[in-house]
Amino acid sequence: MRKVKMLTTGPNGQYKKGQVVEVDAARAQALIDGKHAEEVSP
């Protein structure tokens, strides 16, 4: 699991901007690659 901070509401609008969420590694990478999130330091 990885923690990411949302920069947008996400590709489907299910998150809040600025929200910190814990998602699996593949989902985290997809959100980061899509410029929807940034990784939070552990």
Side-chain angles (χ1 to χ4, degrees):
M1 300 297 274
R2 290 167 62 184
K3 286 187 178 180
V4 295
K5 180 178 179 184
M6 298 307 297
L7 302 175
T8 69
T9 57
N12 300 320
Q14 72 265 35
Y15 302 108
K16 291 182 183 173
K17 192 173 178 181
Q19 180 181 10
V20 175
V21 294
E22 194 168 350
V23 293
D24 63 70
R27 183 72 179 142
Q29 196 58 53
L31 289 169
I32 292 166
D33 289 347
K35 305 279 192 257
H36 295 292
E38 64 185 4
E39 187 136 24
V40 177
S41 300

